Amino acid sequence: MRSVRSGLCCLVITAGLAMPVHAAPLSGRYVAMGSSYAAGPGVTVPADQPPTRCARSKDNYAHQVARRLGLELTDVSCSGATTDDVLGPWHELPAQVAAVTQDTRLVTLTIGGNDLNYVGNLNAASCRAMPAAVCQAVQPPDETHYAAVERALHAIVAAIRTRAPQARIVFVEYPAVLPERGVCAATPMTGDEAEMLRATAARLVAMTDRVAEAEKVEVLRFSVHSKDHDACAADPWMAGYLDASGQRARVPYHPNLEGMTAVADDLVALLE
Protein backbone atom coordinates (compact mmCIF):
# COMPACT_ATOMS: atom_id res chain seq x y z
CA MET A 1 0.00 0.00 0.00
CA ARG A 2 1.50 3.35 -0.99
CA SER A 3 1.41 6.44 1.20
CA VAL A 4 -1.14 9.19 0.59
CA ARG A 5 -0.21 12.69 -0.56
CA SER A 6 -1.94 14.77 0.89
CA GLY A 7 -20.50 24.11 -6.78
CA LEU A 8 -23.30 23.22 -5.86
CA CYS A 9 -25.18 25.07 -3.12
CA CYS A 10 -28.02 22.81 -2.14
CA LEU A 11 -28.62 19.06 -2.15
CA VAL A 12 -31.79 17.03 -1.99
CA ILE A 13 -31.54 13.41 -0.82
CA THR A 14 -33.83 11.01 -2.65
CA ALA A 15 -33.67 7.32 -3.50
CA GLY A 16 -30.13 7.06 -2.19
CA LEU A 17 -28.86 9.91 -4.37
CA ALA A 18 -27.56 13.34 -3.47
CA MET A 19 -28.62 15.64 -6.27
CA PRO A 20 -28.61 19.38 -6.96
CA VAL A 21 -31.86 21.27 -6.73
CA HIS A 22 -31.10 23.09 -10.01
CA ALA A 23 -29.04 20.96 -12.40
CA ALA A 24 -28.39 22.30 -15.89
CA PRO A 25 -28.56 19.83 -18.79
CA LEU A 26 -25.24 18.05 -19.04
CA SER A 27 -23.13 17.92 -22.19
CA GLY A 28 -19.50 17.96 -23.22
CA ARG A 29 -16.40 16.39 -21.72
CA TYR A 30 -16.55 13.75 -18.96
CA VAL A 31 -13.51 12.53 -17.01
CA ALA A 32 -13.86 9.29 -15.02
CA MET A 33 -11.30 8.65 -12.29
CA GLY A 34 -10.77 6.04 -9.62
CA SER A 35 -9.71 2.51 -8.78
CA SER A 36 -10.77 -0.88 -10.12
CA TYR A 37 -14.32 -0.33 -8.84
CA ALA A 38 -14.54 2.39 -11.48
CA ALA A 39 -12.36 0.67 -14.10
CA GLY A 40 -14.35 -2.58 -14.14
CA PRO A 41 -11.74 -5.35 -14.63
CA GLY A 42 -13.30 -8.50 -16.03
CA VAL A 43 -16.54 -6.81 -17.06
CA THR A 44 -17.22 -7.79 -20.70
CA VAL A 45 -14.26 -6.66 -22.87
CA PRO A 46 -11.39 -4.20 -22.38
CA ALA A 47 -11.92 -0.58 -23.35
CA ASP A 48 -8.27 -0.16 -24.33
CA GLN A 49 -6.69 -1.92 -27.29
CA PRO A 50 -4.23 -3.36 -26.65
CA PRO A 51 -5.40 -3.91 -23.06
CA THR A 52 -3.46 -2.07 -20.34
CA ARG A 53 -2.71 -2.90 -16.73
CA CYS A 54 -5.53 -0.56 -15.70
CA ALA A 55 -8.03 -3.17 -16.99
CA ARG A 56 -10.70 -0.66 -17.92
CA SER A 57 -13.87 -2.18 -19.35
CA LYS A 58 -15.87 -0.73 -22.22
CA ASP A 59 -18.93 -1.43 -20.07
CA ASN A 60 -17.81 0.08 -16.78
CA TYR A 61 -20.22 2.65 -15.41
CA ALA A 62 -18.44 5.59 -17.01
CA HIS A 63 -18.58 4.13 -20.52
CA GLN A 64 -22.24 3.21 -20.10
CA VAL A 65 -23.13 6.71 -18.87
CA ALA A 66 -21.16 8.41 -21.64
CA ARG A 67 -22.91 6.36 -24.32
CA ARG A 68 -26.36 7.01 -22.90
CA LEU A 69 -25.88 10.75 -22.38
CA GLY A 70 -23.74 11.45 -25.44
CA LEU A 71 -20.76 12.67 -23.40
CA GLU A 72 -17.13 12.81 -24.56
CA LEU A 73 -15.45 10.39 -22.14
CA THR A 74 -11.85 10.34 -20.96
CA ASP A 75 -11.54 7.33 -18.67
CA VAL A 76 -8.37 7.37 -16.56
CA SER A 77 -9.60 5.01 -13.85
CA CYS A 78 -7.09 2.26 -13.11
CA SER A 79 -7.13 -0.99 -11.18
CA GLY A 80 -4.98 -0.71 -8.08
CA ALA A 81 -5.07 3.08 -7.98
CA THR A 82 -4.94 4.98 -4.71
CA THR A 83 -5.56 8.63 -3.97
CA ASP A 84 -1.82 9.10 -4.63
CA ASP A 85 -2.42 8.11 -8.23
CA VAL A 86 -5.26 10.57 -8.67
CA LEU A 87 -3.10 13.42 -7.41
CA GLY A 88 0.29 12.37 -8.78
CA PRO A 89 1.96 10.07 -11.34
CA TRP A 90 2.11 6.30 -10.89
CA HIS A 91 5.10 4.84 -12.75
CA GLU A 92 4.34 5.42 -16.45
CA LEU A 93 0.87 6.85 -15.78
CA PRO A 94 0.31 10.58 -15.26
CA ALA A 95 -1.82 11.80 -12.39
CA GLN A 96 -5.45 11.00 -13.08
CA VAL A 97 -6.44 14.58 -12.26
CA ALA A 98 -4.21 15.77 -15.12
CA ALA A 99 -6.94 14.57 -17.50
CA VAL A 100 -9.27 17.26 -16.15
CA THR A 101 -9.20 20.35 -18.36
CA GLN A 102 -11.05 23.63 -18.36
CA ASP A 103 -13.72 22.31 -20.73
CA THR A 104 -14.52 19.32 -18.49
CA ARG A 105 -18.17 19.38 -17.42
CA LEU A 106 -18.39 16.15 -15.38
CA VAL A 107 -15.96 14.27 -13.15
CA THR A 108 -16.84 10.99 -11.40
CA LEU A 109 -14.63 9.32 -8.84
CA THR A 110 -14.55 6.04 -6.90
CA ILE A 111 -11.37 5.97 -4.81
CA GLY A 112 -9.94 5.23 -1.37
CA GLY A 113 -10.37 1.48 -1.03
CA ASN A 114 -6.80 0.63 -2.02
CA ASP A 115 -5.41 3.21 0.41
CA LEU A 116 -7.12 1.17 3.14
CA ASN A 117 -6.11 -2.22 1.64
CA TYR A 118 -9.82 -3.04 1.44
CA VAL A 119 -9.80 -5.42 -1.54
CA GLY A 120 -6.41 -6.75 -0.50
CA ASN A 121 -7.83 -7.70 2.89
CA LEU A 122 -10.96 -9.23 1.33
CA ASN A 123 -8.74 -11.49 -0.78
CA ALA A 124 -6.31 -12.23 2.06
CA ALA A 125 -9.16 -13.26 4.36
CA SER A 126 -10.58 -15.63 1.73
CA CYS A 127 -7.37 -17.03 0.25
CA ARG A 128 -7.23 -19.92 2.73
CA ALA A 129 -10.22 -21.48 0.94
CA MET A 130 -7.93 -22.46 -1.94
CA PRO A 131 -5.84 -25.63 -1.40
CA ALA A 132 -2.11 -24.99 -1.06
CA ALA A 133 -2.57 -21.25 -1.60
CA VAL A 134 0.11 -18.85 -0.38
CA CYS A 135 -1.89 -16.14 1.35
CA GLN A 136 -1.08 -12.60 2.41
CA ALA A 137 -1.76 -11.55 5.98
CA VAL A 138 -4.85 -9.49 6.71
CA GLN A 139 -3.68 -5.95 7.56
CA PRO A 140 -6.48 -3.75 8.92
CA PRO A 141 -6.03 0.00 8.32
CA ASP A 142 -5.28 2.23 11.29
CA GLU A 143 -6.36 5.77 12.10
CA THR A 144 -3.49 7.32 10.16
CA HIS A 145 -4.72 5.62 6.98
CA TYR A 146 -8.28 6.89 7.44
CA ALA A 147 -7.10 10.43 8.19
CA ALA A 148 -4.83 10.44 5.14
CA VAL A 149 -7.64 9.30 2.82
CA GLU A 150 -9.97 12.02 4.07
CA ARG A 151 -7.32 14.70 3.51
CA ALA A 152 -6.66 13.33 0.03
CA LEU A 153 -10.35 13.41 -0.92
CA HIS A 154 -10.47 17.11 -0.03
CA ALA A 155 -7.28 17.68 -2.05
CA ILE A 156 -8.76 15.90 -5.07
CA VAL A 157 -11.83 18.14 -5.07
CA ALA A 158 -9.61 21.21 -4.82
CA ALA A 159 -7.45 20.02 -7.71
CA ILE A 160 -10.48 19.34 -9.91
CA ARG A 161 -11.97 22.75 -9.18
CA THR A 162 -8.70 24.47 -10.01
CA ARG A 163 -8.59 22.75 -13.39
CA ALA A 164 -12.31 22.82 -14.23
CA PRO A 165 -14.31 25.35 -12.19
CA GLN A 166 -17.54 24.55 -14.05
CA ALA A 167 -17.39 20.77 -13.71
CA ARG A 168 -19.94 18.78 -11.78
CA ILE A 169 -18.10 16.47 -9.38
CA VAL A 170 -19.74 13.22 -8.29
CA PHE A 171 -18.25 10.83 -5.77
CA VAL A 172 -19.53 7.31 -6.46
CA GLU A 173 -19.55 5.25 -3.28
CA TYR A 174 -18.12 1.74 -3.19
CA PRO A 175 -20.87 -0.89 -3.47
CA ALA A 176 -21.79 -3.42 -0.80
CA VAL A 177 -19.46 -6.41 -1.02
CA LEU A 178 -20.39 -8.49 2.03
CA PRO A 179 -23.88 -9.09 3.44
CA GLU A 180 -24.89 -7.00 6.44
CA ARG A 181 -24.45 -10.07 8.66
CA GLY A 182 -22.51 -13.29 8.37
CA VAL A 183 -20.77 -14.81 5.36
CA CYS A 184 -21.59 -17.43 2.72
CA ALA A 185 -19.85 -19.99 0.51
CA ALA A 186 -18.84 -17.23 -1.92
CA THR A 187 -17.14 -15.21 0.84
CA PRO A 188 -15.04 -17.68 2.85
CA MET A 189 -13.62 -15.86 5.87
CA THR A 190 -14.10 -15.78 9.61
CA GLY A 191 -16.88 -13.80 11.25
CA ASP A 192 -14.34 -11.47 12.87
CA GLU A 193 -12.67 -10.79 9.53
CA ALA A 194 -16.03 -10.05 7.93
CA GLU A 195 -16.89 -7.59 10.70
CA MET A 196 -13.56 -5.80 10.29
CA LEU A 197 -14.09 -5.53 6.54
CA ARG A 198 -17.66 -4.26 6.94
CA ALA A 199 -16.33 -1.62 9.34
CA THR A 200 -13.67 -0.57 6.82
CA ALA A 201 -16.28 -0.22 4.08
CA ALA A 202 -18.62 1.75 6.35
CA ARG A 203 -15.90 4.19 7.33
CA LEU A 204 -14.85 4.71 3.71
CA VAL A 205 -18.46 5.47 2.74
CA ALA A 206 -18.87 7.81 5.72
CA MET A 207 -15.67 9.67 4.79
CA THR A 208 -16.72 10.00 1.18
CA ASP A 209 -20.11 11.38 2.20
CA ARG A 210 -18.57 13.73 4.76
CA VAL A 211 -16.11 15.18 2.25
CA ALA A 212 -18.86 15.55 -0.36
CA GLU A 213 -21.02 17.47 2.10
CA ALA A 214 -18.16 19.70 3.24
CA GLU A 215 -17.04 20.42 -0.32
CA LYS A 216 -20.63 20.81 -1.60
CA VAL A 217 -20.23 18.23 -4.34
CA GLU A 218 -22.56 15.41 -5.27
CA VAL A 219 -22.39 11.84 -4.05
CA LEU A 220 -24.04 8.75 -5.48
CA ARG A 221 -25.03 6.69 -2.44
CA PHE A 222 -24.51 3.36 -4.12
CA SER A 223 -23.60 1.60 -0.89
CA VAL A 224 -27.26 1.99 0.08
CA HIS A 225 -28.75 0.93 -3.26
CA SER A 226 -26.47 -2.12 -3.52
CA LYS A 227 -26.91 -3.49 0.01
CA ASP A 228 -29.26 -6.30 -1.09
CA HIS A 229 -27.00 -7.19 -4.02
CA ASP A 230 -23.80 -8.19 -2.21
CA ALA A 231 -21.72 -11.23 -3.14
CA CYS A 232 -24.01 -13.52 -1.10
CA ALA A 233 -27.31 -12.18 -2.46
CA ALA A 234 -29.68 -14.04 -4.76
CA ASP A 235 -29.13 -11.29 -7.36
CA PRO A 236 -25.50 -10.28 -6.78
CA TRP A 237 -23.94 -7.18 -8.31
CA MET A 238 -20.61 -8.26 -6.86
CA ALA A 239 -18.40 -11.30 -7.44
CA GLY A 240 -17.44 -13.28 -4.37
CA TYR A 241 -14.09 -14.92 -3.85
CA LEU A 242 -15.48 -18.26 -5.04
CA ASP A 243 -17.85 -18.78 -7.95
CA ALA A 244 -20.82 -21.18 -8.02
CA SER A 245 -18.54 -24.13 -8.84
CA GLY A 246 -16.28 -23.43 -5.87
CA GLN A 247 -13.43 -22.12 -8.02
CA ARG A 248 -11.74 -18.77 -7.49
CA ALA A 249 -13.74 -16.08 -9.27
CA ARG A 250 -12.18 -14.43 -12.33
CA VAL A 251 -11.93 -11.08 -10.53
CA PRO A 252 -12.84 -11.69 -6.88
CA TYR A 253 -14.71 -9.06 -4.89
CA HIS A 254 -15.38 -6.72 -7.82
CA PRO A 255 -18.60 -5.51 -9.47
CA ASN A 256 -20.05 -7.62 -12.25
CA LEU A 257 -21.82 -6.28 -15.33
CA GLU A 258 -25.14 -6.02 -13.47
CA GLY A 259 -23.43 -3.98 -10.76
CA MET A 260 -21.80 -1.63 -13.24
CA THR A 261 -25.10 -1.19 -15.05
CA ALA A 262 -26.86 -0.41 -11.77
CA VAL A 263 -24.30 2.33 -11.04
CA ALA A 264 -24.79 3.70 -14.56
CA ASP A 265 -28.59 3.71 -14.13
CA ASP A 266 -28.28 5.67 -10.89
CA LEU A 267 -25.78 8.11 -12.38
CA VAL A 268 -27.97 8.80 -15.40
CA ALA A 269 -30.93 9.43 -13.07
CA LEU A 270 -28.79 11.82 -11.01
CA LEU A 271 -27.29 13.65 -13.96
CA GLU A 272 -30.53 14.09 -15.89
Side-chain angles (χ1 to χ4, degrees):
M1 181 169 60
R2 296 181 296 286
S3 62
V4 179
R5 292 186 294 272
S6 308
L8 296 167
C9 66
C10 306
L11 298 179
V12 174
I13 308 302
T14 178
L17 307 177
M19 62 180 63
V21 175
H22 302 292
L26 188 67
S27 63
R29 190 159 184 269
Y30 166 23
V31 175
M33 304 193 294
S35 67
S36 56
Y37 278 54
V43 176
T44 67
V45 298
D48 304 308
Q49 295 298 334
T52 71
R53 68 181 176 91
C54 289
R56 290 181 283 261
S57 167
K58 81 171 187 68
D59 290 303
N60 64 21
Y61 68 73
H63 279 79
Q64 292 194 49
V65 167
R67 287 196 297 266
R68 289 160 67 175
L69 297 183
L71 302 176
E72 178 191 341
L73 175 64
T74 299
D75 184 3
V76 291
S77 62
C78 193
S79 298
T82 68
T83 54
D84 271 351
D85 310 315
V86 176
L87 293 167
W90 180 18
H91 301 308
E92 82 284 7
L93 300 174
Q96 291 186 18
V97 75
V100 178
T101 52
Q102 191 170 14
D103 62 343
T104 301
R105 292 297 177 262
L106 172 66
V107 178
T108 60
L109 181 67
T110 303
I111 199 69
N114 290 323
D115 299 67
L116 303 174
N117 201 30
Y118 179 48
V119 176
N121 281 332
L122 282 162
N123 281 292
S126 298
C127 173
R128 295 183 299 271
M130 301 304 295
V134 177
C135 302
Q136 300 291 322
V138 175
Q139 298 179 315
D142 60 29
E143 293 304 316
T144 61
H145 294 99
Y146 288 111
V149 172
E150 191 153 358
R151 288 194 302 271
L153 293 178
H154 283 288
I156 290 168
V157 174
I160 294 169
R161 283 182 166 152
T162 297
R163 290 175 168 273
Q166 298 183 57
R168 288 177 69 174
I169 302 170
V170 183
F171 281 118
V172 178
E173 292 178 345
Y174 281 74
V177 176
L178 299 174
E180 292 184 286
R181 298 177 190 82
V183 294
C184 67
T187 62
M189 63 183 70
T190 69
D192 287 345
E193 287 167 337
E195 285 303 313
M196 181 275 291
L197 287 157
R198 276 189 278 266
T200 301
R203 288 194 64 176
L204 178 56
V205 166
M207 277 194 300
T208 301
D209 293 353
R210 189 161 57 243
V211 171
E213 182 177 4
E215 298 286 353
K216 295 183 171 55
V217 301
E218 297 167 86
V219 59
L220 187 73
R221 302 190 191 284
F222 197 66
S223 65
V224 176
H225 187 192
S226 61
K227 69 177 182 178
D228 294 325
H229 298 277
D230 56 78
C232 294
D235 179 21
W237 292 347
M238 174 67 53
Y241 188 79
L242 300 179
D243 63 21
S245 68
Q247 299 300 306
R248 187 177 183 272
R250 181 183 177 193
V251 186
Y253 295 126
H254 278 76
N256 57 25
L257 176 59
E258 290 76 16
M260 281 293 179
T261 301
V263 178
D265 290 343
D266 284 359
L267 268 172
V268 168
L270 170 64
L271 296 169
E272 288 188 324

